[in-house]
Amino acid sequence: MKKFILITLLFALAFATNGYSVARNWVGLGSGGAGTDFNAAANWSPAGVPTAADALTMTINAGFNNIILLSGNITVGSLSVSVTGNRNGVLRANNFVLTVNGAATFNAVTYVSGINYSYCELDAGAAPGGFVFNGTTNIHTTGDGDTYIGGANVSEGSMTFNANVTIGAWAYTLPGDEPIWNFNGAGAQTFTFSSQYNVKPSSVRVGVTNSPTVTMTAVPAALAPGNWFTVYDGSLTVNNNAVLDLGDFDLDPWVAGCVIQLNNTATIRCGNDNNFPGFGVATVNPTNYTTYTISSTSTTHYNGGLAQSISNLAAPGYGHIMYSGAGAKTSAGSFSIRGDWTKNATTFNHNNSTHTFNGTPNQTIGGTSATIFYNLVENKASGSLLMGVNNNQVNNVLTLTAGPLNLNAFTLIVNNAALAAVARTAGYIISETNTAANASIVQWNMGATTGSFVFHFGTAAGVYIPFTFNKTTAGASNVSVSTRPTATSANTPFATGVTHMFSPNLGQDGSDEAVIDRWWHITSSGAATANLTFTYRGAENTMIAPYQTGNVGAQYWSSAWLPNNSNIGSAAAVTAGTGSVTANAVAFTAATFTPMVLSSTTAPLPVELVSTVGTCVNGFGELIWVTASETNNSHFDILRSDDGNAFRPVGTVHGFGTTSTMHEYKFTDREPLGNSTMYRLAQYDFNGDFKLYTPFTVEACETGNTSVHTYSSSEELVVTINSKDEGIYTVNLLDLQGRTISAQQFTAGEGASRFSMSKEGITPGIYLVMTTMPNGEVSSEKILVQ
């Protein structure tokens, strides 16, 4: 008796461990009894109506046609159905729903001959009847019997799988008698197929209320391409944010008139050589799927390891489209895209097709690798088409139908030397990354073609500002162009390599007062000559009077500002709408970056003067000045005035010609300084042109004053002290926020002294120099550190 109690306890504990408190065995029809009601308490042992706490076992081993019916909706724990006899065992929903919370297994075991074998049928019947499997489901045979999956031929019942599903050997369906299959798990689900028969649900729906990721796997893989599993005559639907990963399956329907629906943000992945559900290895739309409802926010992902033909879906085409995997992807024809285009480490062959981007939100052409298009059409009624990877390429025609194509800090390559390779109706290209090196570039491979190549630029606000490169030389070249407005009215940041925009007319930096607030960055791979037409917005003309309504002309930088704008064309400046300037015969050196601006003065000064210092040394005037760059600089004349009105020359210092290197000049005026004396520099070009700089004063030596001046050379900070007494001088370098950057003490004797401070760790900019003298007095001055 004790042994029986112990066995009973162990048995109950085993089921309790599995989550079920009662194990019930079928004793109705096919298992010795005559009952056919699945819900009846008398057909189970121990007797009782099955509940969600029960683990049910049904072993059918007698009778030719045992049909077991549901008599109401019912939920059970787990269910194992095994058929071992000859031609028997049907579990029919009978317009009700059986829900199995745990594992469900259906197994037809015995096979003797073609007329003597086990037959296990799972029949969903008509709607609203069917089965819901919340645990793993296995429909198969362990002994070569037949496991049949059925449903009504009209108003089919459904089978809902919320966990992993395995369809094993000799499971099958028959035409006209198939249920609807739903995959509706809360997370990842795996569908494993290894039957040698056809299993064809009427329809397959993924994500009815949830958003599972369903991965289909064929074992062996050779079973999938033969259409052993597919849709029969209904629809393939993926809803919500669900993912259907087809793997080897192509889901070619058997009956014409079927429907594909990718709704919401659903994703479908097509693997191996599959092109799109129903497309198989064909290169045109299939006949059996005749209706396509593809959400603009859905994703079609071609990720096959074998070559795939990218289906040319009829309008409105794809939502998002993605490519990956080892197999090359070849466009089967032209199609539209309303979402993002993502190409990740795979080959895409455009096949001379046209790909049109016409979605309403922003769309991106991106991924981990660039795409080569044949014809690319941008047609945006709203939103922008953005480049998301560098060097996307168009081999034939880029068509700008409507809206902005935003380069987004990437390069777009036009690999067609025809003048019509970029066509425009109302679209435009945004190339407005406000950095010293503008990365938003159009590279047009022009070859040896001459003529007007129009870069259809526009602003972020939608103002059309084209740039024309009218090439006049036939040498082969690729021309890269970008343009950008400046966030401030001082043309900053300057283009890479540009050190100044000093205006001789103004005697100061002229970027704010005399230059349009826009840059053009141009590079030609080969030497080329072209007539250039620049377009700018009137709002970018923030110049001061009289320059804002005078003529503006183009100038470019090549170690210095060249040439004078009067040499290469000019036009009246505008302050509203758009204005344009044509500069003729501009010569480009091969592979040389050429920043360009539109200036209202004869030039941003060929010689940029950084600092000028004058002191009295031993009774004479000692002058020191520093240049940051020079263009065609012949020499400086030093002019002197004792009354502040009339100036006369007192000496000459030769210049360095053309240079972008900082240089220091010195001159000593041997005439005694009896009073304060005013000096002025005049800079002469080799062609005789000259510029006058702002006058500066040197105090007379006998005044007894001590003076301190600091300036920046190319490698160090130079401190000059003209002291009346010997003593210790403390020099502090502060930034404009008052923070000390560097500090150093010097001992200066009577007269003139010169000291150096290291520039290590000091970034270019404007700084304040505070010098404390031996008597406690403090002097201050601002300096520019280059």
Side-chain angles (χ1 to χ4, degrees), residues 705-727:
N705 293 332
T706 296
S707 61
V708 180
H709 294 286
T710 306
Y711 65 91
S712 173
S713 72
S714 59
E715 297 180 353
E716 60 188 3
L717 300 178
V718 178
V719 182
T720 62
I721 302 175
N722 186 27
S723 174
K724 67 175 183 177
D725 299 308
E726 181 180 353

Side-chain angles (χ1 to χ4, degrees), residues 2-276:
K2 291 181 180 180
K3 182 177 180 180
F4 175 78
I5 294 173
L6 179 61
I7 293 173
T8 302
L9 289 173
L10 290 173
F11 188 74
L13 179 61
F15 279 98
T17 302
N18 289 326
Y20 307 113
S21 58
V22 179
R24 299 187 191 278
N25 294 308
W26 177 255
V27 292
L29 185 67
S31 185
T36 61
D37 186 351
F38 181 91
N39 302 55
N43 290 328
W44 296 95
S45 177
V49 176
T51 70
D54 297 351
L56 307 182
T57 300
M58 301 181 71
T59 302
I60 311 299
N61 52 28
F64 181 77
N65 191 19
N66 299 309
I67 300 176
I68 301 162
L69 305 173
L70 300 182
S71 59
N73 296 335
I74 189 169
T75 300
V76 302
S78 65
L79 175 64
S80 175
V81 179
S82 179
V83 179
T84 60
N86 177 27
R87 304 281 292 194
N88 47 31
V90 177
L91 178 57
R92 184 167 293 167
N94 197 29
N95 295 316
F96 298 107
V97 177
L98 168 62
T99 300
V100 182
N101 285 339
T105 301
F106 302 89
N107 182 11
V109 177
T110 307
Y111 180 84
V112 177
S113 66
I115 60 173
N116 184 1
Y117 57 89
S118 297
Y119 174 87
C120 178
E121 179 177 339
L122 186 61
D123 187 357
F131 303 94
V132 176
F133 300 109
N134 292 325
T136 58
T137 304
N138 194 347
I139 303 173
H140 69 137
T141 178
T142 58
D144 292 340
D146 284 359
T147 306
Y148 181 75
I149 304 165
N153 56 12
V154 177
S155 184
E156 300 98 335
S158 62
M159 298 175 64
T160 299
F161 303 98
N162 294 325
N164 295 341
V165 185
T166 298
I167 303 299
W170 306 115
Y172 70 102
T173 60
L174 289 176
D177 185 24
E178 64 288 308
I180 295 171
W181 279 26
N182 299 318
F183 293 90
N184 195 42
Q189 293 180 252
T190 300
F191 172 75
T192 304
F193 187 86
S194 60
S195 178
Q196 298 89 336
Y197 277 176
N198 292 313
V199 176
K200 304 185 186 305
S202 172
S203 296
V204 173
R205 299 184 297 203
V206 178
V208 179
T209 56
N210 292 319
S211 297
T213 295
V214 178
T215 302
M216 293 187 168
T217 303
V219 181
L223 291 173
N227 273 339
W228 296 100
F229 178 80
T230 188
V231 171
Y232 181 70
D233 61 359
S235 64
L236 171 63
T237 304
V238 189
N239 290 312
N240 305 324
N241 195 35
V243 178
L244 174 59
D245 190 340
L246 295 175
D248 298 311
F249 296 93
D250 55 36
L251 295 192
D252 285 325
W254 271 36
V255 176
C258 294
V259 175
I260 288 180
Q261 296 182 79
L262 291 185
N263 299 323
N264 311 113
T265 55
T267 296
I268 192 163
R269 296 176 185 154
C270 309
N272 280 349
D273 64 348
N274 296 326
N275 309 316
F276 194 76

Side-chain angles (χ1 to χ4, degrees), residues 230-540:
T230 188
V231 171
Y232 181 70
D233 61 359
S235 64
L236 171 63
T237 304
V238 189
N239 290 312
N240 305 324
N241 195 35
V243 178
L244 174 59
D245 190 340
L246 295 175
D248 298 311
F249 296 93
D250 55 36
L251 295 192
D252 285 325
W254 271 36
V255 176
C258 294
V259 175
I260 288 180
Q261 296 182 79
L262 291 185
N263 299 323
N264 311 113
T265 55
T267 296
I268 192 163
R269 296 176 185 154
C270 309
N272 280 349
D273 64 348
N274 296 326
N275 309 316
F276 194 76
F279 283 61
V281 296
T283 57
V284 296
N285 288 344
T287 57
N288 287 349
Y289 281 125
T290 56
T291 302
Y292 301 85
T293 302
I294 310 296
S295 165
S296 62
T297 54
S298 68
T299 300
T300 304
H301 184 180
Y302 293 90
N303 65 342
L306 303 176
Q308 291 180 279
S309 180
I310 307 306
S311 306
N312 54 328
L313 290 184
Y318 292 92
H320 302 296
I321 192 166
M322 182 179 295
Y323 311 100
S324 65
K329 315 297 186 281
T330 300
S331 183
S334 301
F335 56 82
S336 297
I337 308 96
R338 292 165 292 151
D340 295 336
W341 175 292
T342 305
K343 187 170 87 69
N344 293 328
T346 191
T347 299
F348 177 79
N349 300 316
H350 56 64
N351 200 24
N352 292 353
S353 300
T354 298
H355 297 99
T356 300
F357 290 82
N358 58 359
T360 54
N362 287 344
Q363 296 176 258
T364 300
I365 302 176
T368 61
S369 57
T371 300
I372 298 176
F373 295 92
Y374 185 68
N375 292 323
L376 174 62
V377 177
E378 174 265 343
N379 186 10
K380 300 286 293 176
S382 64
S384 299
L385 177 60
L386 296 95
M387 296 296 103
V389 67
N390 214 28
N391 296 329
N392 284 323
Q393 182 171 312
V394 180
N395 275 0
N396 191 41
V397 177
L398 169 63
T399 300
L400 305 169
T401 303
L405 188 161
N406 193 332
L407 297 176
N408 196 30
F410 294 108
T411 294
L412 174 64
I413 300 171
V414 179
N415 193 26
N416 180 2
L419 300 178
V422 181
R424 175 182 184 266
T425 303
Y428 53 94
I429 298 171
I430 295 179
S431 165
E432 305 210 338
T433 305
N434 192 28
T435 58
N438 185 359
S440 296
I441 298 169
V442 175
Q443 176 186 314
W444 200 330
N445 297 344
M446 300 176 182
T449 303
T450 58
S452 295
F453 293 86
V454 181
F455 293 75
H456 296 286
F457 291 130
T459 70
V463 180
Y464 182 52
I465 52 167
F467 170 80
T468 300
F469 191 94
N470 187 353
K471 189 177 171 189
T472 56
T473 55
S477 60
N478 303 331
V479 177
S480 298
V481 181
S482 64
T483 184
R484 61 182 175 94
T486 54
T488 69
S489 59
N491 284 81
T492 54
F494 289 171
T496 300
V498 176
T499 60
H500 72 280
M501 285 188 180
F502 200 94
S503 168
N505 304 63
L506 300 169
Q508 63 187 47
D509 186 304
S511 58
D512 185 16
E513 295 86 354
V515 181
I516 298 295
D517 298 330
R518 178 169 289 275
W519 288 88
W520 290 263
H521 300 177
I522 307 168
T523 303
S524 178
S525 65
T529 302
N531 301 329
L532 311 179
T533 299
F534 306 83
T535 308
Y536 63 96
R537 297 183 306 147
E540 293 161 2

Side-chain angles (χ1 to χ4, degrees), residues 732-743 766-770 782:
N732 290 275
L733 184 71
L734 295 83
D735 64 19
L736 295 184
Q737 284 74 46
R739 295 171 295 195
T740 300
I741 305 301
S742 178
I766 297 175
Y767 293 85
L768 184 67
V769 180
M770 303 288 291
K782 286 183 179 180

Side-chain angles (χ1 to χ4, degrees), residues 515-602:
V515 181
I516 298 295
D517 298 330
R518 178 169 289 275
W519 288 88
W520 290 263
H521 300 177
I522 307 168
T523 303
S524 178
S525 65
T529 302
N531 301 329
L532 311 179
T533 299
F534 306 83
T535 308
Y536 63 96
R537 297 183 306 147
E540 293 161 2
N541 178 357
T542 59
M543 300 183 294
I544 63 173
Y547 304 112
Q548 85 275 22
T549 55
N551 278 13
V552 290
Q555 289 202 296
Y556 62 85
W557 176 274
S558 180
S559 299
W561 285 107
L562 296 169
N564 186 300
N565 63 0
S566 62
N567 300 131
I568 56 173
S570 63
V574 302
T575 57
T578 59
S580 63
V581 174
T582 297
N584 295 317
V586 180
F588 292 89
T589 303
T592 300
F593 172 61
T594 308
M596 301 194 74
V597 295
L598 298 178
S599 172
S600 63
T601 61
T602 55

